[in-house]
Amino acid sequence: MKDPKRLSKIISYIILAPILAFFVAPILWLLVTPFSLRPSLFISISKPTLNNFIRVFQNKTAINAFKNSVIISVGVVLLVTICALFAAYVLSRHYFKGRDILLYILVLFSSIVTGVAAMVPIFMLNLRLGLIDKELGVILTIAGGMLPTSIFILKDFFDSIPRSFEEAALVDGSSPLQIMFKIFLPLSSKGIIVIAMLVFAQSWSNFLIPFILLRTHTKYPVSIAIYTFFTEVGVPDIGMISAYALLYTAPVIVMYFLVERKFGFSFYGGIKG
Amino acid sequence: MPWVEFVNVVKRFSDVTAVNNVSFSIEKHDFFTLLGPSGCGKTTTLRLIAGLEIPDDGKIFIADQDVTYKLPKERNVAMVFQNYALYPHMTVRENISYPLVVRKIPKGEIEKRVRFVAESLQISQLLDRYPQQISGGQQQRVALARAMIQTPTVFLLDEPLSNLDAKLRLEARSFLKHLYTELGTAVVYVTHDQAEAMALSTKIAVMDNGCIKQIGSPKEIYNEPANIFVASFIGNPPMNIIPCKISDRHFLVGEQRLQLPIPLTELEEDAYLGIRPENIQIVTAQGDLRAQIFVIEPLGVETIITFNVDSFQLKCLAFEDDIPYKPGDMIWIRFRRDKIHIFDKDGNRIQGSETCDSH
């Protein structure tokens, strides 16, 4: 006797297994290879060692690149979060003529002219502004690219916070600054943290923009520095690359879990009567 | 001088006039209710008092001061919002003390006043909880506490009972009325529920379409409604309004002739007759109109009887235990002569119409 439900389950598992393997394999490789004595492009388990990590920490370029990545990412996060906060607040709480058109254009343009297509104009712009080979140029360029989406997401989030909280605070005698810091920011902290996380992850992993705008290799962030790990004969040093890659992904993953643990991803909705 | 005064206030939102040339005055001891259907401008009026909206025209005075263009915090008013607007990231204690904290009042003083207010509203045991952790009725008391602690000139309450379930609503209503006697200052209350307005207020303003239709004590509003809108908005069930023709100093209701000599001579041909359900009696002898019973709804103390008179449907309230009729029965009904209201064809009440004497 054949159970048709069971059969369909088996078939779906057969289809799902290779897909799963396809996605899991690189992650598995990333977790295993850095600790391997003889690292290769295959997932091979050998005697565990920390040798690869020690070599990374002894490599000045590698450590320096981490510092550069932090400077760029933190700079972008601060710039984008603060600007998006102000812009989204105004767009959410005040109506002015052309507001909706402005939002539309913001989103439309930011999604049309992106990636490689924008590289030549971005390079020219930075050249004219004298920002080539400067961290500031990289920060401004990445921030500029991320602002529209951030403003849009944050504006949507702010729209979901009832105005009556701010109005109540107003009648209760608060000044505008008190409303901002005592009422609005605590209420919207989750949305702001989500944006900050998103922006951090994006700028941390950005390769193209620093690659185009930076010339001096001591200014390279991790995403570029990782390409310099070759042996004398031009063969990639897989041990170092994998260890470095693991260190590189760690902050984003750790941050994600921290935020998840601390805030969950539930928001203050309206208020129940 | 009145405690709160509106002088020809107008407020427009793009092409909608939410408050249209409204004037009224409230005394210090008044419990003033703005009553009307949704969208009539009553909440906008309240927000104008609070300073959350600025009028396009007219003047607003609170305690002899022109506050028309003043910020909310300069008006010393306290407001309870319809959804209570308790700050979800603060405990009940922090919520209640917030108005004092932002006014930089010393900590010891705040602590003392929080304790006093919490005790008088019986919420002392909730002070360390968060708003999401307490019930709707408790949330309402916290919102009231946050308003009371400011010792404001005026209390503004925006439909504070509408978020409570039916049983709790009655309880909270009695509590509010009791609280009002302790507050010692004017309360402005917004509601669409005529029973709340009748039960709580010393003065009611009935609003419709941004205009005030009538201002008066609950008794005046009930007994002498200025027009059909007010008459049919107040009372449960509302007043029966019957279109009729007047000829030969008698009313014609449909095909029937109502033997009702009227003392008013300047009446036009078309008019409306208004009678509250409790003022219609079913009589065994010949009455005013012949009617057929449509449905009988016993509610415990009273019974609502609906009947058809020609093409009109009337409701009557009977207080007897046993109603000896069933749907379909033909009966005679009689109107209490001193409770008849007559409205002209524009819907305005004709003064003195309640004095129609019998024969």
Side-chain angles (χ1 to χ4, degrees), chain B residues 29-35 140 144 157-162 169-181 183 185-205 216-219:
Chain B
H29 59 268
D30 268 337
F31 192 116
F32 183 76
T33 299
L34 292 159
L35 174 67
Q140 192 212 28
L144 282 169
L157 310 180
D158 186 4
E159 309 218 18
L161 302 183
S162 63
R169 197 175 302 166
L170 275 186
E171 215 172 278
R173 197 173 78 188
S174 315
F175 182 77
L176 260 182
K177 181 126 196 183
H178 165 74
L179 194 65
Y180 156 66
T181 56
L183 292 176
T185 190
V187 175
V188 182
Y189 188 95
V190 163
T191 185
H192 62 264
D193 182 341
Q194 54 91 23
E196 270 173 35
M198 295 293 286
L200 290 167
S201 325
T202 60
K203 209 182 211 180
I204 298 175
S217 69
K219 248 193 179 145

Side-chain angles (χ1 to χ4, degrees), chain B residues 176-247:
Chain B
L176 260 182
K177 181 126 196 183
H178 165 74
L179 194 65
Y180 156 66
T181 56
E182 287 185 0
L183 292 176
T185 190
V187 175
V188 182
Y189 188 95
V190 163
T191 185
H192 62 264
D193 182 341
Q194 54 91 23
E196 270 173 35
M198 295 293 286
L200 290 167
S201 325
T202 60
K203 209 182 211 180
I204 298 175
V206 183
M207 288 187 79
D208 184 36
N209 254 330
C211 302
I212 290 187
K213 294 286 176 189
Q214 188 176 4
I215 301 183
S217 69
K219 248 193 179 145
E220 285 165 3
I221 300 265
Y222 193 81
N223 292 329
E224 293 160 42
N227 47 52
I228 290 182
F229 177 80
V230 176
S232 53
F233 199 79
I234 304 276
N236 185 28
M239 187 185 280
N240 297 298
I241 306 288
I242 316 160
C244 50
K245 287 205 183 306
I246 294 169
S247 82

